């Protein structure tokens, strides 16, 4: 029977009157960003998960907070999918990942790979996790497992974590000890090799023939001869990581008879991992990361299985995604589209992802991760790094900047001058003269007089007044064109509503999709409004 054709263009969400978000879009993954309290979990994350549930997706939902499982159950009720729901609590189911991988692939080397990845997950959750550049120790641990697991399988026909630990703990510390008959009687390591050799004589063992047995013996001879500090570091790292599975919730979840397998998700099952990190700490994170990795591993191989295994799409939902990251996530996301898997992550900021990725190349590793999200939804964000990154991602466009100026002026002057003057003058003069002459011998008589007078009068008056006034007025307009950010980084902190009473329960988000043009905006982004419920 061929695989039923899935309509990838079926709408999951209606973003606006003219725009929808489809299954095809979902299979290119979605990242939701926004500061705490921005409404990202109560709107976008919630609506995306419910839409996938309504469309018949299988779903794996990780939990960080105590209330997450209850919220996810409400999503299932709203979508009408409670009949498909399984809440995986501690004690409710067991997944022996070693037995599962051996049954799935029949290849003991694949079991080595799976155990190695589970150990890396356990180490990545430790506060004292190593750097990403510790390639030597990673290779050494993997080699140690490669020459531990096959002899165990050859000897007992199965492999358990307790057997791996017993084998490693009882390995000889020197060649002299290995040759000691008394030590040989009590060593699980020695007894394993004896049983493996006996079974090999009875017939071929998958993944362990004479040549493999010889390589195994040579490896252990070399390992025992190593510097004791180096060999003990390799062994202690493995036993410390695996010993977490000897007790507590990791033992209950992964050690025992298998009652659940990842493949149920291919048949529209919804699995909520109800061992939240807030309650179970590192063990809760290890358990969920391990299950997520096993689901990813199964998903990439689903098309090699029966055709019925590849009919329905699968969603992996992670709120507070930074807590659930594992370095294989980016690689998986780059490859899983054809396996019909959609990854939904919600987190506060880009720096949160960088911190979670860790290692020497945290910046590049985080960038590699986010490059796999074709849909990015940004809620109100107070993170300058995230806002600048998003502004750069949207890009620049030709912006027209207008300018306007206006001026007005008035001047006036008033003056009055007044002067008055009187210039009066009186000039009078008078004079007179008299003369009288007489002489002897004769007489003569003469006399005369004169008189003069004069006067003058003058005056002057003057009056003056002056006045002047003036005004000026002007206006100017200008328009400049420049290439600048289409959306400024600061807008993500001021232009999006965050719900609650202050905004009447209304929440805004900016949807960005590369390779798409929204008809409402003629760009690759669209502002969407939600009403919180």
């Amino acid at each position: 029977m061929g695989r039923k054709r899935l309509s990838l263009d079926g709408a999951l969400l209606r973003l606006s009157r003219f725009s929808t978000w489809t299954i095809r879009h979902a299979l290119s993954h979605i990242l939701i960003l926004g500061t705490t309290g921005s409404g990202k979990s109560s709107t976008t994350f919630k609506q995306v998960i419910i839409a996938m549930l309504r469309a018949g997706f299988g779903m794996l939902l990780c939990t960080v907070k105590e209330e997450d499982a209850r919220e996810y159950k409400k999503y299932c009720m709203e979508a009408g999918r409670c009949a498909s729901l399984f809440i995986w609590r501690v004690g409710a189911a067991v997944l022996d990942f070693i037995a599962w991988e051996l049954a799935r692939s029949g290849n003991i080397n694949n079991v080595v790979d799976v155990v190695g990845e589970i150990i890396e997950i356990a180490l990545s959750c430790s506060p004292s996790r190593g750097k990403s550049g510790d390639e030597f120790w990673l290779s050494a641990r993997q080699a140690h497992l490669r020459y531990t697991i096959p002899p165990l399988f050859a000897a007992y026909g199965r492999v358990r974590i307790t057997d791996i630990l017993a084998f490693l703990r009882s390995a000889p510390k020197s060649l002299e000890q290995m040759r000691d008959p008394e030590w040989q009687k009590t060593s699980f390591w020695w007894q394993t090799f004896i049983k493996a050799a006996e079974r090999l004589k009875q017939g071929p063992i998958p993944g362990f023939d004479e040549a493999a047995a010889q390589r195994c013996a040579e490896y252990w001879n070399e390992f025992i001869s190593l510097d004791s500090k180096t060999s003990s570091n390799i062994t202690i790292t493995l036993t410390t990581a695996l010993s977490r599975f000897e007790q507590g919730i990791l033992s209950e979840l992964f050690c025992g008879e298998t009652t659940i397998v990842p493949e149920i998700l291919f048949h529209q099952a919804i699995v909520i991992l109800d061992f939240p990190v807030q309650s179970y700490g590192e063990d809760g994170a290890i358990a969920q990361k391990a299950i997520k990795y096993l689901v990813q591993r199964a998903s990439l191989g689903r098309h090699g299985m029966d055709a019925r295994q590849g009919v329905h799409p699968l969603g992996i939902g992670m709120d507070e995604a930074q807590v659930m990251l594992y370095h294989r996530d980016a690689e998986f996301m780059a490859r899983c589209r054809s396996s019909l898997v959609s990854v939904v992550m919600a987190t506060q900021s880009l720096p949160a992802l960088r911190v979670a990725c860790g290692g020497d190349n945290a910046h590049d590793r985080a960038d590699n991760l986010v490059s796999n999200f074709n849909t990015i939804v940004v809620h109100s964000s107070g993170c300058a790094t995230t806002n600048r990154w998003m502004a750069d991602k949207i890009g620049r466009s030709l912006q027209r900047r207008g300018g306007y100026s206006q001026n007005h002026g008035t001047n006036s002057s008033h003056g009055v001058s007044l002067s008055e003057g009187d210039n009066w003058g009186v000039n009078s003069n008078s004079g007179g003269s008299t003369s009288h002459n007489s002489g002897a011998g004769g007489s003569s008589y003469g006399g005369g007089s004169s008189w003069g007078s004069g006067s003058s009068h003058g005056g002057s008056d003057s009056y003056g007044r002056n006045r002047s006034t003036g005004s000026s007025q002007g206006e100017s307009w200008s328009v400049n064109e420049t290439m600048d950010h289409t959306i400024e980084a600061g807008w993500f902190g001021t232009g999006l509503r965050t719900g609650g009473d202050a905004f009447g329960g209304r929440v805004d988000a900016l949807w960005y999709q590369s390779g798409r043009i929204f008809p409402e905006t003629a760009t690759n982004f669209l502002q969407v409004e939600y009403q919180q419920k």
Side-chain angles (χ1 to χ4, degrees), residues 56-260:
F57 278 57
M59 189 68 65
L60 179 72
L61 294 169
C62 301
T63 61
V64 174
K65 302 184 290 291
E66 285 277 357
E67 63 270 22
D68 285 347
R70 293 192 297 273
E71 287 298 311
Y72 297 157
K73 184 177 180 180
K74 292 178 182 177
Y75 298 175
C76 294
M77 294 174 63
E78 188 170 339
R81 293 287 305 281
C82 286
S84 303
L85 174 62
F86 176 68
I87 302 178
W88 190 352
R89 298 186 176 94
V90 177
V94 175
L95 172 54
D96 182 345
F97 51 84
I98 297 177
W100 169 76
E101 179 59 36
L102 193 57
R104 189 179 77 92
S105 67
N107 188 334
I108 196 64
N109 290 323
N110 287 353
V111 174
V112 173
D113 293 340
V114 168
V115 175
E117 293 292 346
I118 299 299
I119 289 173
E120 288 303 307
I121 288 171
L123 293 174
S124 73
C125 293
S126 170
S128 58
R129 62 184 180 182
K131 296 182 179 180
S132 60
D134 293 339
E135 288 85 2
F136 169 78
W137 297 108
L138 175 61
S139 299
R141 290 194 297 267
Q142 203 66 9
H144 216 44
L145 291 172
R146 194 174 299 116
Y147 295 105
T148 295
I149 292 175
L152 284 169
F153 178 70
Y156 306 108
R158 54 164 172 72
V159 181
R160 297 182 301 192
I161 290 177
T162 53
D163 293 337
I164 296 174
L165 287 167
F167 184 90
L168 295 174
R169 288 166 177 165
S170 63
K173 303 298 186 294
S174 65
L175 293 173
E176 292 74 16
Q177 186 181 47
M178 185 173 65
R179 298 188 185 103
D180 182 1
E182 293 302 317
W183 173 85
Q184 293 173 0
K185 291 178 183 178
T186 60
S187 171
F188 182 76
W189 183 92
W190 180 264
Q191 296 300 321
T192 296
F193 274 106
I194 296 300
K195 289 182 180 295
E198 292 173 353
R199 288 197 63 200
L200 196 57
K201 292 177 182 178
Q202 299 171 7
I205 301 173
F208 197 80
D209 54 16
E210 292 285 352
Q214 182 62 34
R215 289 193 298 271
C216 217
E218 292 172 354
Y219 170 82
W220 281 102
N221 282 327
E222 292 175 1
F223 184 79
I224 294 167
S225 302
L226 286 175
D227 175 75
S228 60
K229 185 176 181 179
T230 301
S231 60
S232 62
N233 279 343
I234 295 171
T235 301
I236 289 172
T237 301
L238 286 172
T239 56
T240 300
L242 286 174
S243 63
R244 304 189 74 143
F245 293 82
E246 286 187 297
Q247 57 187 346
I249 71 163
L250 296 181
S251 175
E252 294 189 55
L253 292 170
F254 300 110
C255 300
E257 294 297 324
T258 295
T259 57
I260 190 172

Side-chain angles (χ1 to χ4, degrees), residues 7-13 20-24:
S7 174
L8 298 182
D9 294 314
L12 290 175
L13 283 175
T20 61
W21 192 67
T22 66
I23 295 175
R24 187 185 302 278

